[in-house]
Amino acid sequence: GAVVSQHPSRVICKSGTSVKIECRSLDFQATTMFWYRQFPKQSLMLMATSNEGSKATYEQGVEKDKFLINHASLTLSTLTVTSAHPEDSSFYICSARAGTGGYEQYFGPGTRLTVT
Amino acid sequence: DAKTTQPNSMESNEEEPVHLPCNHSTISGTDYIHWYRQLPSQGPEYVIHGLTSNVNNRMASLAIAEDRKSSTLILHRATLRDAAVYYCILREGNSGGSNYKLTFGKGTLLTVNP
């Protein structure tokens, strides 16, 4: 099956700093990528949807200036958490879908962010 | 948004079949039924999806009720590696189109006993 990777798998940062998470589709071109967040014992919450070369569409309640998403190529999307705070600590998961006829959505392994 | 209802948890014994139910009484005619599972500390993994007919693949089978208001994911022989949270999701968007997003509910936590 198609593979989606994320880097880093774990990151610890200090409060007030920014951290960037990369999501790559390794063996297919992803015209659409998604970013989810998951708090402990909870389900995945969709944060935003991005199409290659376009601005991301954010879900209600997600601050676009805090969570910067860039989908500059068909195989790479990045999520930057700006001015991170402890409440941003979470499991961030990206997902990618191919273009035409791509009904399946493939998920990355997730990135554990801890803000101290 | 069309929603799904699943039991919070289920338990099974190793090498026995497991039937995971999902109710989706407000499903529309163009909604596909997707199943994903999430192992601890990992991203979700695609399991199976269907529209009206029952579906089989190497991982599982999907049985869809005739009125499409419910479906059942069937693991034919559970293994310890099948212990995960199983999500039943209705694909939003137009049938045949790629413009949809997956909205996750709480899922069913499956425990497999040795």
Side-chain angles (χ1 to χ4, degrees):
Chain A
V3 179
V4 175
S5 70
Q6 281 185 242
H7 178 79
S9 57
R10 291 177 178 272
V11 58
I12 300 173
C13 70
K14 292 189 176 180
S15 187
T17 63
S18 296
V19 61
K20 180 185 286 188
I21 302 170
E22 291 187 351
C23 175
R24 295 182 184 272
S25 57
L26 298 185
D27 49 4
F28 67 101
Q29 293 187 324
T31 54
T32 307
M33 285 187 165
F34 306 84
W35 286 95
Y36 292 81
R37 180 168 55 179
Q38 186 175 33
F39 292 109
K41 306 287 186 188
Q42 295 188 24
S43 187
L44 285 77
M45 295 294 294
L46 179 63
M47 299 175 67
T49 303
S50 72
N51 291 297
E52 185 264 337
S54 303
K55 286 185 178 180
T57 301
Y58 291 81
E59 295 297 303
Q60 193 172 9
V62 178
E63 300 175 58
K64 62 180 181 181
D65 294 330
K66 181 171 183 61
F67 300 99
L68 303 179
I69 292 171
N70 185 286
H71 189 170
S73 79
L74 286 172
T75 59
L76 173 65
S77 176
T78 60
L79 167 68
T80 301
V81 183
T82 63
S83 187
H85 289 104
E87 56 264 32
D88 298 323
S89 298
S90 188
F91 193 48
Y92 291 87
I93 304 168
C94 77
S95 178
R97 199 162 65 219
T100 54
Y103 300 141
E104 290 181 26
Q105 194 164 319
Y106 303 97
F107 288 81
T111 296
R112 176 79 57 193
L113 170 64
T114 303
V115 184
T116 60
Chain B
D1 296 347
K3 296 196 184 304
T4 63
T5 304
Q6 298 177 253
N8 289 334
S9 63
M10 289 186 67
E11 213 167 309
S12 169
N13 295 319
E14 205 175 3
E15 299 192 1
E16 290 184 357
V18 181
H19 290 231
L20 297 165
C22 179
N23 287 321
H24 28 78
S25 57
T26 59
I27 191 172
S28 75
T30 57
D31 285 343
Y32 280 74
I33 303 159
H34 284 243
W35 283 82
Y36 283 79
R37 71 180 186 182
Q38 186 178 24
L39 279 65
S41 298
Q42 294 187 29
E45 173 188 26
Y46 168 81
V47 178
I48 201 167
H49 79 279
L51 181 63
T52 56
S53 304
N54 294 342
V55 184
N56 299 297
N57 66 21
R58 64 175 180 80
M59 288 182 70
S61 295
L62 176 60
I64 302 174
E66 214 169 307
D67 63 4
R68 301 211 325 127
K69 293 184 184 299
S70 66
S71 62
T72 303
L73 178 70
I74 303 166
L75 306 179
H76 295 286
R77 289 184 65 194
T79 70
L80 296 178
R81 288 178 296 179
D82 291 322
V85 177
Y86 286 78
Y87 297 98
C88 168
I89 304 168
L90 299 184
R91 181 213 293 176
E92 304 171 11
N94 297 323
S95 176
S98 60
N99 184 26
Y100 71 88
K101 57 185 180 181
L102 297 178
T103 301
F104 286 76
K106 295 184 178 179
T108 297
L109 174 62
L110 175 65
T111 301
V112 180
N113 300 314

